[in-house]
RNA sequence: GCGGGCGUGGCGGAAUUGGCAGACGCGCCGGACUCAAAAUCCGGUUCUGGCAACAGAGUGUCGGUUCGACCCCGACCGCCCGCACCA
């Protein structure tokens, strides 16, 4: 039997993370370390740190681990710095996968969702995140979506929500409508199915009303990545131009003119044709009596605009036979075409074609033999021989063949022609936006019911306050396609609140992006009887630091910005912008592995041979190492955080994920990296235990020996460096500084001198406390071992402060250059006078050798950094 | 096509923003301990020449500004991301 006697003080106690981590998690919970009030009265400055809340798929993935670790480091650090920190967690719980589970496995969406939440909550708790769990909610809680219905009605009343019939993006696989933002490369963002166009009555949020301020306010979001701001700006898409109308020479079908939007009114005299979108009302009217037009329009619809963008760069058109007059060229008439490249949603759904100065118009004109008339003469060209070949001229120049515009530059010509159009009443200057109103109707069960009632006599009637919330029925069937709410035998049949007659509930539910467009403000007062408590959101909002994936750069972040403004206008909140700071983390990647037959293997199914090759563990078959790419189930290059935490502990997972590289970049998850992180944490633990066991003597020594001083200097410099790194989100640099300090403590173990024991105890304690935001459990454990009997928790301690005297260096190393090349270094007291530094530099042996016999023409001295002798020749 | 970002050892990356390029980690090489291995500890590790001191080259390429450039300017090459018939 091994010796089982109690360990001697200098024998290292093993740190059992599996026992210790849950123990410290309980300790934090018992002391309510992370709880804050809705409206705190303690006068501490507030800091709201939020990570994008997860969809409850059932298991956390490494992306979650990275996201929540980053946020947790920040939350713990800010708390130590004296902030009162709001750090909540919840669940983005409505959505399609729950309905798919219901269809495929017969589980009720609610059951599936809440089971998943329970499983994921346990995994998140195991990570030791400093969350205020009392604020937790799921968006599928009636307490949440019921409040959301109140917000919807407020928006409806304010005219920010409305219903209209329109062409919508229809996802034939998911059987629902998608917002423009949810169509990616012509396909549904979830299903990947090609999107079709359908005409349906839908609910919309009037996000376009805020387009100017959503764009303008981007400039003020200084703590947002430039990338995200430019993406949003492009998405909102402001353009300046003119709207003008072209009268039809022979009014047809009750339409006597066509409105056109253009950003190039200066090229109006270069007009060659007018083109309508296939969905334009006049095109539809023509189609009723022209089978050719009807066929053409049907063909365009079949392809769909987005699909056509991919397939057919080819322009196609159909001549309606109609013509329009020109506002200035009175003797001329221009043909009206239907063209597949004209978008119905942008501008007026009709354009005038100026082939000489627009590439699309040029391609169209060449194909159908339409005239090409240049009106902008490029610099260095002569009007006599300038002609347009197969490339339109879109650059600067001088206006020609343009009557009263001749001689102007295009920019001045724009203003001039707009003024003229306004004078004769044919058009006006107009700003246009790419942003469309946000379609929020979804023909789905597992979402927030839209709280309105359709009455044959009264129209759309809001559900009265007393009848809220509109609760989802629980007894629904998923054995038929389509919306189970519409299919429900009784749920939708109600009395009209206005006239008392028979009426029907709206059966559409809200896009789940609505749920995530305001959850951050609900976290301020999650149990309030109203959607938001004014004083709570007044205290906590905006979110000081929001952290999440770049994939939400447009959709979620733009919707949240809009919805906050809408809530501001309807009086629920006092701020316009929800997120003062935004940090977008990189993805977690991993090598991928596949067998010769193409089958992908999970990392745990492979084995690395001594020669570096890889085989399948079960069969010994050779494995091809694939690309390092984002973890995905289809490539099986995922690593389960639960398994990592079980094997190495939460602290190791956190430490590795922080140490590998800067958090905004993609990181590669490697087995070697995790093992290395784990080794380091064990080393810190051994250091702490040996120091805890060593006597320090009764008193602090009066005199510290040279090595003791050096260690203290390093310790206090580390405080400064780690603090700066954390402020900068440079967690990998913070980690590097802590490695250095651990190395210095280890080195000091081999030294001797007065005060070393005290210096080492100070160093390890500082190390533990600086590492605490990153590895909170180990920090608590080691702090407790260093202070037997303490009742303090590191989670409650203030952030260490550097002693300026100790942090200051008593010497600096100055580089010495000769002719700009490094030739040696000298060590001097800081801020030494220039003559002394230069003299010492010149005396440095190698420098002196190289200066011998050469004329120094100039001496550059940068204090504490460099001396450069510029020599002649 | 338009917009944004990025190019530094075998790898991830650092460099106080114009002042010692390669911190720190991974990997690799060598050593100590061990019967041996693991673990741990110590040392080395940009390239070339040299026992060394040291010298030369070096931050995608070419050029420029500067006493001095990974950093600033110009041109180009490559990679990543976003948008894309937006009139």
């Amino acid at each position: 039997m091994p010796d089982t006697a109690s360990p001697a003080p200098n024998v290292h106690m093993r740190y059992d993370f599996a026992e210790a981590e849950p123990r410290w998690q309980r300790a934090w919970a018992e002391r309510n370390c992370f709880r804050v009030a809705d409206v705190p009265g303690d006068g501490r400055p507030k800091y709201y740190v939020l990570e994008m809340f997860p969809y409850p798929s059932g298991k956390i993935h490494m992306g979650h681990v990275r996201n929540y670790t980053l946020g947790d480091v920040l939350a713990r650090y800010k708390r130590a710095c004296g902030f009162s920190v709001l750090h909540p967690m919840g669940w983005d719980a409505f959505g399609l996968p729950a309905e798919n589970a219901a269809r495929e496995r017969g589980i009720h969406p609610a059951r599936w969702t809440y089971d998943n939440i329970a499983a994921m909550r346990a995994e998140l708790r195991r990570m030791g995140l400093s969350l205020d769990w009392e604020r937790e909610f799921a968006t599928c809680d009636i307490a949440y979506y019921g409040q959301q219905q109140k917000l919807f009605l407020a928006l409806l009343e304010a005219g920010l929500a409305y219903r209209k019939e329109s062409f919508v993006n229809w996802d034939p696989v998911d059987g629902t409508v998608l917002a423009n933002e949810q169509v990616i490369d012509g396909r549904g963002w979830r299903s990947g199915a090609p999107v079709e166009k359908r005409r349906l009555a839908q609910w919309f949020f009037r996000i376009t009303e805020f387009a100017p301020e959503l764009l303008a306010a981007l400039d003020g979001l200084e703590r947002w990545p430039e990338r995200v701001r430019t993406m949003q700006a492009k998405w909102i898409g402001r353009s300046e131009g003119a709207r003008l109308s072209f009268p039809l020479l022979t009014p047809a079908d009750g339409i006597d003119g066509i409105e056109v939007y253009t950003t190039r009114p200066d090229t109006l005299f270069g007009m060659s044709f007018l083109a309508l979108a296939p969905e334009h009302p006049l095109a539809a009217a023509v189609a009723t009596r022209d089978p050719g037009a009807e066929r053409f329009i049907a063909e365009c619809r079949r392809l769909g605009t987005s699909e056509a963008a991919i397939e057919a760069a080819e322009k196609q058109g159909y001549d309606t036979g109609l013509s329009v007059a020109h506002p200035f060229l009175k003797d001329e008439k221009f043909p009206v075409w239907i063209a597949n490249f004209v978008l119905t949603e942008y501008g007026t759904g009709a354009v005038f074609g100026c082939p000489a100065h627009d590439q699309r118009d040029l391609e169209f004109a060449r194909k159908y033999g339409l005239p090409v008339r240049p009106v902008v003469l490029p610099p260095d060209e002569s009007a006599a021989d300038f002609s347009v070949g197969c490339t339109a001229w879109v650059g600067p120049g001088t206006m020609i063949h343009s009557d009263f515009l001749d001689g102007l530059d295009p920019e001045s010509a724009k203003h001039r022609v707009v003024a003229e159009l306004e004078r004769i009443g044919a058009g006006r200057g107009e700003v246009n936006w790419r942003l469309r109103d946000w379609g929020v109707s979804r023909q789905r069960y597992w979402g927030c019911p839209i709280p309105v009632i359709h009455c044959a006599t009264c129209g759309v009637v809001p559900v009265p306050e007393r009848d809220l919330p509109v609760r989802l029925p629980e007894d629904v069937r998923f054995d038929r396609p389509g919306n189970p709410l519409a299919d429900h035998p009784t749920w939708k049949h109600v009395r009209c609140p206005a006239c008392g007659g028979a009426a029907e509930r709206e059966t559409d539910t809200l896009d789940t992006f609505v749920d995530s467009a305001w959850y951050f403000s609900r976290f301020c007062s999650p149990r309030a009887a109203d959607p938001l408590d004014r004083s709570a959101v007044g205290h906590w909002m905006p979110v000081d630091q929001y952290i999440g994936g770049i994939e939400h750069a447009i959709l979620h972040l733009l919707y949240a910005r809009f919805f906050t403004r809408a809530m501001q206008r309807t009086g629920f909140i006092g701020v316009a912008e929800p997120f003062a700071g935004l940090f977008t983390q990189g993805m977690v990647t991993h090598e991928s592995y596949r067998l010769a037959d193409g089958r992908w293997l999970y990392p745990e199914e492979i084995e690395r041979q001594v020669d570096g090759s890889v085989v399948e563990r079960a069969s010994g078959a050779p494995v091809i190492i694939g690309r390092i790419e984002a973890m995905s189930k289809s490539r099986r290059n995922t690593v389960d955080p639960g398994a990592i935490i079980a094997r190495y502990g939460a602290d190791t997972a956190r430490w590795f994920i922080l140490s590998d590289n800067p958090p905004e970049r993609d990181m590669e998850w490697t087995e070697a990296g995790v093992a290395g992180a784990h080794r380091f944490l064990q080393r810190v633990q051994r250091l702490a235990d040996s120091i805890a066991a060593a006597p320090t003597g009764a008193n602090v020594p009066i005199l510290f020996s040279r090595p003791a001083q050096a260690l203290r200097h390093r310790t206090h410099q580390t405080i400064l460096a780690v603090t700066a790194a954390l402020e900068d989100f440079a967690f990998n640099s913070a980690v590097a500084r802590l490695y250095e300090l651990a190395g210095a403590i280890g080195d000091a173990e081999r030294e001797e001198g007065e005060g070393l024991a005290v210096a080492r105890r100070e160093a390890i304690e500082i190390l533990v406390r600086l590492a605490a935001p990153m590895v909170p459990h180990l920090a608590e454990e080691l702090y407790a071992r260093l202070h037997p009997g303490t009742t303090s928790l590191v989670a409650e301690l203030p952030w260490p402060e550097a002693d300026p005297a100790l942090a200051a260096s008593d010497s600096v190393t100055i580089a010495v250059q000769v002719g700009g090349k490094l030739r040696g270094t000298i060590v001097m007291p800081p801020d030494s006078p220039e003559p002394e530094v230069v003299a010492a530099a010149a005396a440095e042996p190698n420098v002196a050798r190289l200066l011998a016999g050469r004329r120094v023409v100039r001496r550059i001295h940068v204090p504490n950094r460099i001396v450069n002798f510029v020599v002649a020749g």
Side-chain angles (χ1 to χ4, degrees):
Chain A
M1 287 288 285
D3 182 11
T4 52
S6 64
N10 60 345
V11 168
H12 303 151
M13 280 188 284
R14 177 119 187 102
Y15 172 62
D16 178 7
F17 62 80
E19 174 276 325
E21 290 183 346
R23 177 158 48 80
W24 290 114
Q25 287 158 15
R26 283 194 299 277
W28 297 324
E30 279 161 17
R31 298 267 279 262
N32 289 320
C33 289
F34 315 128
R35 199 195 284 179
V36 286
D38 288 1
V39 187
D42 61 9
R44 281 183 301 163
K46 72 99 181 177
Y47 197 88
Y48 185 0
V49 54
L50 182 69
E51 303 95 56
M52 291 178 183
F53 67 163
Y55 178 79
S57 59
K59 270 177 116 43
I60 64 170
H61 55 67
M62 279 301 171
H64 291 129
V65 175
R66 195 176 197 197
N67 195 183
Y68 301 136
T69 299
L70 294 174
D72 198 48
V73 171
L74 188 64
R76 288 178 181 271
Y77 168 67
K78 287 291 179 183
R79 218 175 268 120
C81 288
F83 288 88
S84 120
V85 172
L86 175 59
H87 189 211
M89 180 57 71
W91 309 95
D92 188 13
F94 273 136
L96 209 45
E99 282 188 62
N100 291 340
R103 276 175 218 279
E104 288 157 21
R105 280 174 277 164
I107 311 168
H108 193 278
R111 171 76 192 284
W112 183 85
T113 303
Y114 283 106
D115 283 355
N116 284 350
I117 287 174
M120 287 179 72
R121 183 193 297 117
E123 290 193 282
L124 288 187
R125 282 184 177 275
R126 190 61 192 77
M127 281 182 64
L129 303 170
S130 64
L131 294 162
D132 182 357
W133 281 103
E134 307 225 332
R135 292 176 183 275
E136 177 190 0
F137 60 76
T139 54
C140 63
D141 294 344
I142 183 71
Y144 184 79
Y145 75 76
Q147 299 297 335
Q148 186 163 302
Q149 291 170 346
K150 291 187 199 167
L151 293 174
F152 178 91
L153 292 177
L155 263 59
L156 183 63
E157 198 182 350
L160 294 173
Y162 67 96
R163 197 171 136 91
K164 73 168 180 194
E165 194 160 285
S166 72
F167 282 100
V168 294
N169 305 302
W170 179 260
D171 186 322
V173 168
D174 282 351
T176 190
V177 162
L178 300 175
N180 286 330
E181 289 84 345
Q182 293 163 348
V183 179
I184 293 150
D185 288 340
R187 292 169 183 276
W189 72 289
R190 270 208 92 91
S191 71
V195 166
E196 297 169 4
K197 301 231 128 194
R198 281 200 189 179
R199 202 170 166 83
L200 283 176
Q202 297 286 303
W203 285 97
F204 286 86
F205 284 162
R206 214 179 287 280
I207 188 171
T208 52
E209 183 160 331
F210 294 88
E213 39 182 300
L214 286 170
L215 180 68
L218 285 172
D219 284 339
L221 298 175
E222 282 158 18
R223 289 171 48 231
W224 280 43
E226 190 59 37
R227 198 154 64 117
V228 176
R229 290 196 283 171
T230 49
M231 277 164 76
Q232 290 214 353
K234 283 216 82 173
W235 191 267
I236 296 166
R238 182 181 194 275
S239 74
E240 270 179 39
R243 175 190 286 259
L244 57 158
S245 72
F246 291 89
L248 275 169
L249 289 179
T250 46
D253 311 293
I255 299 171
D256 56 6
I258 302 166
E259 291 244 294
V260 153
Y261 176 75
T262 178
T263 56
R264 292 297 304 272
D266 52 316
T267 63
L268 193 51
F269 288 91
M271 177 168 177
S272 161
F273 60 91
L274 193 145
L276 305 173
E279 296 86 1
H280 195 278
L282 181 58
V286 169
T288 57
R289 52 177 166 71
D290 181 344
E294 191 184 0
R295 260 196 311 278
F296 180 76
I297 291 166
E299 179 67 7
C300 291
R301 183 168 309 173
R302 193 179 62 76
L303 286 170
T305 33
S306 317
E307 187 73 357
I310 303 158
E311 299 286 338
E314 173 118 38
K315 310 276 175 283
Q316 300 206 14
Y318 182 84
D319 189 349
T320 62
L322 300 170
S323 339
V324 289
H326 190 281
F328 302 117
L329 297 166
K330 293 298 178 199
D331 303 329
E332 296 195 47
K333 59 178 191 174
F334 297 89
V336 177
W337 288 67
I338 303 168
N340 66 340
F341 67 90
V342 181
L343 303 174
T344 184
E345 317 92 57
Y346 189 78
T348 62
V351 298
F352 83 79
C354 174
H357 305 292
D358 182 288
Q359 191 59 33
R360 290 157 311 191
D361 296 349
L362 183 64
E363 287 167 28
F364 190 78
R366 291 290 183 228
K367 174 159 180 178
Y368 293 104
L370 296 160
V372 178
R373 319 185 193 179
V375 289
V376 180
L377 184 66
D380 311 321
E381 291 274 358
S382 82
D385 30 70
F386 174 64
S387 71
V388 170
C390 55
T391 309
W393 175 254
V394 294
T398 312
M399 304 307 302
I400 50 169
H401 309 315
S402 296
D403 193 355
F404 57 91
L405 299 177
D406 283 351
L408 296 174
D409 62 277
E411 216 35 56
S412 321
K414 280 176 192 167
H415 292 110
R416 180 78 176 80
V417 77
V418 167
E420 199 58 26
L421 285 168
E422 284 172 358
R423 196 182 63 77
I424 63 173
R428 60 190 143 80
E430 188 176 280
V431 170
N432 222 312
W433 303 86
R434 204 190 86 109
L435 188 67
R436 307 264 71 81
D437 273 343
W438 174 15
V440 293
S441 281
R442 297 292 179 272
Q443 291 70 45
R444 306 247 63 111
Y445 166 73
W446 196 233
C448 173
I450 295 174
V452 300
I453 289 162
H454 299 282
C455 171
T457 44
C458 309
V460 171
V461 183
V463 172
E465 182 99 28
R466 62 173 187 279
D467 293 337
L468 289 178
V470 177
R471 197 179 277 271
L472 284 170
E474 283 171 29
D475 52 334
V476 280
R477 304 173 53 167
F478 290 95
D479 51 0
R480 282 175 290 210
N483 183 355
L485 285 181
D487 215 30
H488 192 277
T490 57
W491 183 77
K492 68 178 174 186
H493 300 293
V494 288
R495 293 269 145 207
C496 171
C499 69
E504 286 194 0
R505 282 192 194 287
E506 172 66 64
T507 59
D508 285 354
T509 50
L510 289 172
D511 181 3
T512 56
F513 276 103
V514 179
D515 310 342
S516 55
W518 70 287
Y519 78 105
F520 42 86
S521 43
R522 179 70 181 169
F523 272 139
C524 301
S525 54
R527 312 292 170 235
D530 294 316
L532 303 177
D533 178 298
R534 284 287 316 221
S535 44
V537 291
H539 179 79
W540 290 110
M541 288 295 289
V543 175
D544 294 277
Q545 187 64 59
Y546 197 35
I547 307 171
I550 186 75
E551 67 273 18
H552 293 111
I554 295 176
L555 301 184
H556 162 59
L557 290 169
L558 190 60
Y559 292 149
R561 293 183 63 219
F562 155 71
F563 208 82
T564 303
R565 289 187 134 78
M567 291 193 297
Q568 184 191 38
R569 181 177 293 185
T570 46
F572 288 96
I573 196 170
V575 300
E577 284 293 335
F579 312 121
L582 172 69
F583 188 89
T584 52
Q585 67 187 76
M587 292 183 300
V588 184
T589 67
H590 196 281
E591 266 182 348
S592 52
Y593 309 102
R594 67 195 311 182
L595 293 166
D597 64 9
R599 228 171 70 230
W600 297 97
L601 294 177
Y602 285 107
E604 61 266 25
E605 293 177 310
I606 60 110
E607 197 158 51
R608 220 165 271 274
Q609 308 288 95
V610 272
D611 63 356
S613 69
V614 171
V615 297
E616 185 180 17
R617 194 184 293 273
S619 67
V623 167
I624 304 148
I625 301 179
R627 283 178 32 202
I628 297 163
E629 51 193 325
M631 287 188 179
S632 78
K633 284 190 190 115
S634 62
R635 297 235 189 282
R636 301 201 163 184
N637 63 338
T638 54
V639 174
D640 173 29
I644 294 295
I645 289 171
R647 181 158 171 211
Y648 295 100
D651 283 340
T652 294
R654 295 169 60 122
W655 185 257
F656 172 55
I657 223 161
L658 292 164
S659 64
D660 189 59
N661 69 348
E664 67 275 14
R665 297 196 207 167
D666 290 353
M667 74 163 291
E668 188 192 352
W669 185 276
T670 61
E671 197 49 38
V674 189
H678 192 62
R679 263 202 313 276
F680 175 72
L681 297 184
Q682 287 180 314
R683 191 166 143 232
V684 171
Q685 179 237 318
R686 280 195 304 274
L687 277 176
D689 281 342
S690 79
I691 291 168
T696 51
N699 298 309
V700 174
I702 294 161
L703 201 71
F704 283 93
S705 60
R706 188 82 201 162
Q709 274 181 39
L711 181 57
R712 299 197 73 197
H713 171 61
R714 169 56 67 88
T715 299
H716 286 262
Q717 279 207 319
T718 303
I719 297 174
L720 296 178
V722 169
T723 305
L726 292 186
E727 289 285 345
D728 224 27
F729 264 75
F731 300 125
N732 57 325
S733 293
V735 164
R737 300 289 85 77
L738 293 174
Y739 269 104
E740 283 173 348
L741 182 56
I745 297 170
D747 291 344
E749 214 153 347
R750 288 188 299 281
E751 308 252 20
E752 276 181 30
E754 182 74 12
L756 251 184
V758 172
R760 291 177 60 229
R761 185 170 270 273
E762 175 189 45
I764 192 71
E765 176 169 337
I766 295 295
L767 169 61
V768 161
R769 287 170 58 187
L770 294 178
M774 301 179 257
V775 285
H777 312 88
L778 182 69
E780 296 289 1
E781 180 73 23
L782 298 186
Y783 185 83
R785 290 185 188 184
L786 286 164
H787 298 274
T790 185
T791 56
S792 300
L793 293 175
V794 179
E796 295 170 334
L797 291 178
W799 191 244
E801 263 187 63
D803 179 336
L806 288 166
S809 303
D810 58 2
S811 69
V812 290
T813 304
I814 296 172
V816 185
Q817 297 181 337
V818 177
K821 282 188 189 292
L822 179 71
R823 296 302 180 186
T825 58
I826 54 173
V827 176
M828 300 290 290
D831 304 317
S832 299
E834 177 162 338
E836 285 176 28
V837 177
V838 169
E844 201 277 336
N846 197 41
V847 173
R849 184 173 66 80
L850 286 154
L851 287 180
R854 306 184 73 171
R855 193 164 57 87
V856 175
V857 294
R858 209 170 143 193
R859 291 172 186 82
I860 311 282
H861 173 237
V862 180
N864 300 327
R865 287 196 193 278
I866 207 159
V867 175
N868 186 10
F869 294 102
V870 184
V871 290

